[in-house]
Amino acid sequence: IWVPLHTHYTNKVVKVLVEYGKIPGLEDYRVIQIEPTFGEVRFDLLLEGPGGERLALEVKTCTLFGKKG
């Protein structure tokens, strides 16, 4: 199912989806930081799991889609 969304809102929407446990596999994670950096690399979100493990999450989008022709 396609969900058109303005690209400036994608990280905010994913953050809310993580917080409400709506992303399969990330139900027990929580957002602990927005745009964390690791050296010179920046990710979109830093999550923490129930055992204290951390997961750097990068959100990807596409700006164009549709049928050819």
Side-chain angles (χ1 to χ4, degrees):
I1 179 172
W2 290 102
V3 179
L5 183 65
H6 192 288
T7 57
H8 288 117
Y9 296 124
T10 54
N11 290 356
K12 293 176 184 179
V13 170
V14 171
K15 179 181 180 287
V16 170
L17 291 173
V18 169
E19 290 171 344
Y20 281 88
K22 299 297 183 183
I23 298 179
L26 300 178
E27 297 92 339
D28 297 325
Y29 282 77
R30 64 187 185 98
V31 176
I32 59 172
Q33 190 176 350
I34 298 169
E35 296 190 352
T37 56
F38 299 92
E40 295 183 17
V41 180
R42 181 185 55 82
F43 288 88
D44 292 317
L45 300 170
L46 181 60
L47 310 180
E48 186 174 69
E53 67 278 7
R54 292 188 172 187
L55 173 69
L57 183 67
E58 181 69 16
V59 178
K60 294 296 179 190
T61 62
C62 75
T63 55
L64 299 173
F65 69 94
K67 295 180 182 178
K68 267 188 162 181

